Each structure stands twice: as C-alpha cells, then as structure tokens.
Amino acid sequence: MFTIGDFARHGRVSIRMLRHYDAIGLLRPAQVDPANGYRFYAGAQLARLNRVIALKDLGFTLAQVQTILDEQISVGELRGMLRLRRAELAETVASAARRLAYVEARLRTIESEGHMPGHDVVVKHIDAVRVAELTGIAAGYSPEHIAPVIQPLFAQLSKHVADAGVPIAGPAIAYYESSEDGESVLVHAAVPVAVADIGDGIAIVELPAFEAATLVHRGSMDEVMPSYQALSAWIEPNGYRSTGVPRELYLDTPDDPALWVTELQEPVTPA
Amino acid sequence: MFTIGDFARHGRVSIRMLRHYDAIGLLRPAQVDPANGYRFYAGAQLARLNRVIALKDLGFTLAQVQTILDEQISVGELRGMLRLRRAELAETVASAARRLAYVEARLRTIESEGHMPGHDVVVKHIDAVRVAELTGIAAGYSPEHIAPVIQPLFAQLSKHVADAGVPIAGPAIAYYESSEDGESVLVHAAVPVAVADIGDGIAIVELPAFEAATLVHRGSMDEVMPSYQALSAWIEPNGYRSTGVPRELYLDTPDDPALWVTELQEPVTPA
DNA sequence: TTGCTCCTCACGTCACGTGAGGTGGC
DNA sequence: TTGCTCCTCACGTCACGTGAGGTGGC
C-alpha cells in the first residue's frame, strides 16, 4: 500500500490530481482510513493510473477516459473515438501552424519596416446580400477615374431608393469589374434592400457570399491605394490567394471625406 | 452608429463577445444610451475590433491584447512577445503532432491486432535514488537464469539492511548489465536507503535519474518477457529510442508471485 | 398586440493549482 | 515540541455560451 504522496511520486502526478480522480470516480484509492480519511493505493493501481495518463496524453477529456475505461466500450467504438481524435489533432496541428505563420509574417514585417503594421487584416465570411444597384463606366481603377463616376451613381441611387420608400438595410457597397473588352471598368454602386423590385431602371442583384481578407480604411477614398496595397501584400505571406473582385463597404460617410471609414474586402481562398 | 447586433454582424463576432470586451475595457462602445444602457458603436471602431481579432488569432490572451493595444508597447517589447509566442506555438505544433503520432500508433495496433492494447506505456522521469545493493552473476537475461540468482540476493540484502536497523525508503529495484566479456549478466538487487554506509560488503550506490518508457507488469516475473516485448515494441513507433539498461521496480510483492506488480522502466530519449 | 432587439445578472465550462485552516503520527 | 504528511473546503483560471427574467421601440 502506498500513501497518496508515495503513489503520486511513483506515478509522476500531483497529489491534487489523485484527489481529483478520486472525487470524479476515475481512480478510487484501494483503501480509505475511516478514522482520518487517509487514502491508500495498491501497487496494481499504477496500471490504472497509467491507462488514465496514456489516454489523457492522446488528448481525451477525463470524461472520455472514464467512458473508455469503465463502460466496456467496443473496439469499433474505440476506433471511432480514436479517428475523431486523430481528425481533431490534425486540425489542432494545422491551426497552430497557421498561427505560427501569422506570427512569423508579423515578425518579418517588424524586422523589415522597424515598426508595428498600422493596419490589421482579418479574414472573415461575408454573407450574401440583396442590393439595389446602378452601374457606370470608368476609364481605370485609380481614384481619379472612379470618384467622378461613383459619386453621381450613389446620389442618383439613394434618391431613387428614398423616393420609392424602400428602407436601406445596411452600409452602401461598391465593387468594380473589368469590362469585357478589358479597356474600361464597370463601377457598381449598391445599397442593401429587402425588396424584389424597385423599378426605375435600378437593378436588384444578389451579391454572393464569400470569404474575404478585410481591412478597415480610414480617410478619403482618394487615398485608398496604400490600404489596398497593404491588403494585397498581406494575402500571400499569410497563406491565401486572391480570387475575384474586391468590394468596398462604406461603414461611415460623414460630410468630411477625410473622416470616412471603409472596409475593403478582397475575396480569398486558402492557398 | 451601429447597434450591438449590427456591429457584431459586420465584425463577425458574437454579441456576447462585444459585451465581454466592453466589460473588461478592451473595446468600449462609442456611445451608451444612459436611459436603457443600449450600446452604440462607430464604424471606425471596426478597426479596433480587427486589431483585437488579429492579435487573438496570433494566440495572445485578451490581457496581452489589452497591453499591446493600450500600453504603448515599444517595438522591441512587441518583438519579444511575438518571439515568445512563436516559441509557444512551435511547442503547441510539436506536442499536437506527438499526440497525433500516439493516436496513429494506437489505431495501427487496433487495426492489426483487432483489440485494444492491454497495457499502457507511459514515459516519465525517474528520479535519482540512493540504494543499498548486492550484485550477482547470471548466465543470461531470461527469467530462468535471473530468478535463481536474484532471489537469494534480495533475501540476503533485506536481512542485512534490517539487521543494520536502516529503514527501507521505497520499493525494491533490480537492474541488469552485460558483463565485460559479454558472456554473462550482472544482476543488481537494490533497495532505497537514506544512509551513506551500511557495511557488511553491501554497496551504497547512487542510481542516476533518467527518462523512461514504463509499463506495469502484473504477475510472476517468470512471465515478464511478453511485457518487456510490448514495452520495446512501443518505443520506436511512438518516436523514442532505447538508451541504456532497464530497471524493475517491485511495487507489490505478496507471497503469491502471481499477484506481483512490477514496473518495467526502459530508458529512452526522443528520437 | 406580437416579434425583435436590447439589457443585466449569474451559472457553467475543464482540470486541476493554490491557499486557508486544521489534524495525526514520528 | 517541531516537521512532515495528510485532510476538507472553496476560490481562481479563460473567454465567453447559455439561460433567466425583464424592458423598449416598431
């Protein structure tokens, strides 16, 4: 018979753990002194303790260990649990490796630029959304080409939507595509709505859901290029690939354009 | 201004998380209605939320995120934190990969043998221990050779130790080495003691600490070979290498040898 | 009036670590 | 008598999830 201290030493666990395993019924001492509550363990109980430790090392919770040890689980069930664990562990490895890649990308940025990046890219799911939209044509992607086209589009769109008495269901959205001849840019100005038709030559479109690397741009859209460049530069070193057309979400558009807040959304897929 | 629900939707976090970040002061809403406590967030606060999420994704705790965002941490300090995180994440990856290897070794055993392994190997640290010991010579490692040598050694040893009035400080230990000519086996019978000398031709030896793959053998030492084989078979597929001489720890030695409990300790090193 | 959204507690999670306060045998 | 080991509560951990119970605007 071992005292709890000796048994803990041989088993390389803490006394507290043995008390805990006693409390939850996972490993009861072979004997308990009724006078003072002292626990005594038999040498053979080290085998049980080892089973507990081994299963814990596989990453099972104590409740699962309990089930495996006491509830006469079948080989098939055990195999199922192990396969599930294998999948969970593979996911743990993958996600830790991904975080590690993030950290290393950050460290590289700091080493090369000498300061913390001022922006933070977050990858997230963007839901599908129904919008009312107007489309125009610009000669290029730069702000000088886009601004004179998109501003009247939004003015016209919001007037029409307001006139139709349709409530706007969220921040305005812009997105851009190259035209078929590749010479010009299709500029889309859109606002979320909950109706199926709004008339007046305004299209109702279902924008698809997607995964996006996003970055919050603060300031005028005339100065959006560095933010887009930072977003693009983030994508590859962090293990993603760009796919498709970016969107802009106008989160806050006060009168002073220098105070605008825009979310840039670049569709990505894990590379 | 966004309600908490809208802000949560755009930020892809739960409402509960925003309330929690408010409670701990990590992200306070831009405005709170004093009448009903409703929280309102500015679009620009999405930038702060993104910083929180990005740092959380690097694996920092919220307290660390707090420090990084608010306490004007220097680039050097941040780099230090990132390097520490990198090391922690590397360790996470390694340990998850190790667990994964354990799980896969188990699955292979189950697939090939059709049942759960009946023994559980645990790798643990064995402390250095001072022992009183007697040494004999046997013709080989098999139980038939060892038993007739070791039994009288232990009888003689325990008699001498008892006669000397020295208390035995733990379970008896046996270990074996090949003799120099390689033709025979040195058999060591030892018991832990706390004294520096015991006279009577009994050696006091400091057995070194080591890392061991261990397995609890139940039953007579005449039947120990399958347990040793199971222990040896475990080592390589689980990423270890054997190093040095195994030990036996006699945890429980009642009169009936069939009820003996022994821990087999095989020194290992990560391979 | 019915939903919907918002609010504030407050418990539960998981496997123990860490005191606090006290007892029994050498 | 002094250490040492043992005991039983019971709080704390971390980042929220999940009710319970209630309120205010469309």
Side-chain angles (χ1 to χ4, degrees):
Chain A
M1 282 300 173
F2 296 83
T3 65
I4 196 170
D6 289 337
F7 195 66
R9 259 184 297 280
H10 285 301
R12 286 275 139 184
V13 295
S14 71
I15 290 177
R16 181 63 172 96
M17 284 168 72
L18 291 177
R19 292 208 185 104
H20 186 58
Y21 297 164
D22 181 8
I24 64 175
L26 188 53
L27 177 61
R28 290 265 152 77
Q31 263 180 242
V32 177
D33 185 321
N36 54 21
Y38 278 33
R39 295 168 179 84
F40 296 95
Y41 293 85
Q45 293 193 278
L46 195 61
R48 170 99 177 177
L49 180 59
N50 278 359
R51 308 207 68 180
V52 171
I53 293 171
L55 289 168
K56 230 166 59 93
D57 280 354
L58 296 181
F60 288 112
T61 66
L62 293 188
Q64 290 173 317
V65 172
Q66 188 100 261
T67 306
I68 293 171
L69 291 190
D70 294 335
E71 299 193 6
Q72 281 296 68
I73 227 167
S74 76
V75 180
E77 288 170 316
L78 180 61
R79 185 161 46 197
M81 293 183 79
L82 285 169
R83 284 183 174 158
L84 184 57
R85 268 277 68 206
R86 180 171 60 181
E88 290 169 357
L89 282 169
E91 169 54 25
T92 302
V93 171
S95 87
R98 201 162 47 230
R99 281 155 183 249
L100 190 54
Y102 284 179
V103 169
E104 284 176 341
R106 282 266 180 158
L107 274 168
R108 276 196 302 275
T109 307
I110 287 183
E111 304 294 351
S112 67
E113 301 186 6
H115 62 83
M116 178 82 164
H119 36 262
D120 289 273
V121 176
V122 167
V123 174
K124 62 187 176 189
H125 180 84
I126 308 294
D127 282 334
V129 58
R130 167 174 300 188
V131 296
E133 71 168 44
L134 283 175
T135 301
I137 293 181
Y141 279 103
S142 65
E144 312 93 81
H145 293 111
I146 300 292
V149 177
I150 202 166
Q151 278 166 15
L153 284 180
F154 269 122
Q156 196 185 337
L157 178 67
S158 50
K159 180 171 185 316
H160 278 309
V161 171
D163 288 351
V166 171
I168 293 180
I173 296 166
Y175 63 102
Y176 313 95
E177 304 169 275
S178 294
S179 64
E180 286 191 13
D181 58 18
E183 306 254 306
S184 54
V185 176
L186 291 179
V187 177
H188 300 266
V191 291
V193 293
V195 297
D197 181 45
I198 199 169
D200 249 346
I202 294 179
I204 300 289
V205 178
E206 197 84 26
L207 299 183
F210 61 108
E211 297 299 313
T214 69
L215 181 149
V216 173
H217 171 68
R218 303 222 238 171
S220 163
M221 290 310 281
D222 293 346
E223 288 144 22
V224 78
M225 290 314 285
S227 293
Y228 265 122
Q229 279 157 17
L231 180 56
S232 297
W234 182 93
I235 290 173
E236 196 228 301
N238 285 279
Y240 292 94
R241 265 184 324 111
S242 283
T243 61
V245 282
R247 271 188 214 167
E248 294 164 2
L249 192 66
Y250 296 94
L251 295 169
D252 199 9
T253 52
D255 291 340
D256 182 354
L259 300 178
W260 279 28
V261 179
T262 319
E263 181 177 77
L264 313 181
Q265 304 174 335
E266 175 104 13
V268 292
T269 182
Chain B
M1 283 302 173
F2 295 85
T3 64
I4 195 170
D6 289 338
F7 195 65
R9 257 184 297 281
H10 285 301
R12 286 274 139 187
V13 294
S14 71
I15 290 177
R16 182 64 171 96
M17 286 168 73
L18 291 177
R19 293 208 185 104
H20 186 58
Y21 297 163
D22 181 9
I24 64 176
L26 188 53
L27 178 61
R28 290 266 152 77
Q31 262 181 243
V32 176
D33 186 321
N36 55 21
Y38 279 32
R39 294 169 179 83
F40 295 96
Y41 293 86
Q45 293 194 277
L46 195 60
R48 170 98 176 176
L49 181 58
N50 277 359
R51 309 207 67 182
V52 171
I53 293 172
L55 290 167
K56 232 166 57 95
D57 279 355
L58 297 180
F60 288 111
T61 67
L62 293 188
Q64 291 173 316
V65 172
Q66 188 100 263
T67 306
I68 293 170
L69 292 190
D70 294 335
E71 299 193 6
Q72 280 297 69
I73 225 166
S74 75
V75 180
E77 288 170 315
L78 181 61
R79 185 161 45 199
M81 292 183 79
L82 285 169
R83 284 183 174 155
L84 184 57
R85 268 280 63 208
R86 181 172 58 182
E88 289 169 358
L89 281 169
E91 169 54 25
T92 302
V93 171
S95 88
R98 200 163 48 230
R99 281 155 184 248
L100 191 53
Y102 283 180
V103 170
E104 284 175 342
R106 281 267 179 159
L107 273 168
R108 276 197 301 275
T109 307
I110 287 183
E111 304 294 350
S112 68
E113 301 186 7
H115 62 83
M116 177 82 165
H119 36 263
D120 290 273
V121 176
V122 167
V123 174
K124 62 187 177 189
H125 181 83
I126 308 294
D127 282 335
V129 59
R130 167 174 301 187
V131 296
E133 71 169 44
L134 284 174
T135 300
I137 294 182
Y141 279 103
S142 65
E144 312 92 83
H145 293 111
I146 299 293
V149 176
I150 202 165
Q151 279 166 14
L153 284 180
F154 268 123
Q156 196 184 338
L157 178 66
S158 51
K159 179 169 187 317
H160 278 308
V161 172
D163 286 353
V166 171
I168 293 181
I173 297 165
Y175 62 102
Y176 314 96
E177 304 169 275
S178 294
S179 64
E180 287 190 14
D181 59 17
E183 305 254 307
S184 54
V185 176
L186 291 179
V187 176
H188 301 267
V191 292
V193 293
V195 297
D197 182 44
I198 199 170
D200 251 345
I202 293 179
I204 300 289
V205 178
E206 197 83 26
L207 298 183
F210 61 108
E211 297 299 313
T214 69
L215 181 150
V216 173
H217 171 69
R218 303 221 237 171
S220 163
M221 290 309 281
D222 294 344
E223 287 143 24
V224 78
M225 291 315 285
S227 293
Y228 266 122
Q229 279 156 16
L231 181 55
S232 298
W234 182 93
I235 290 173
E236 197 228 301
N238 285 278
Y240 292 93
R241 266 186 322 113
S242 282
T243 61
V245 282
R247 272 188 213 166
E248 293 164 1
L249 191 66
Y250 296 95
L251 295 169
D252 199 8
T253 51
D255 290 339
D256 182 354
L259 300 179
W260 279 29
V261 178
T262 319
E263 182 177 75
L264 313 181
Q265 304 173 336
E266 174 102 13
V268 292
T269 183

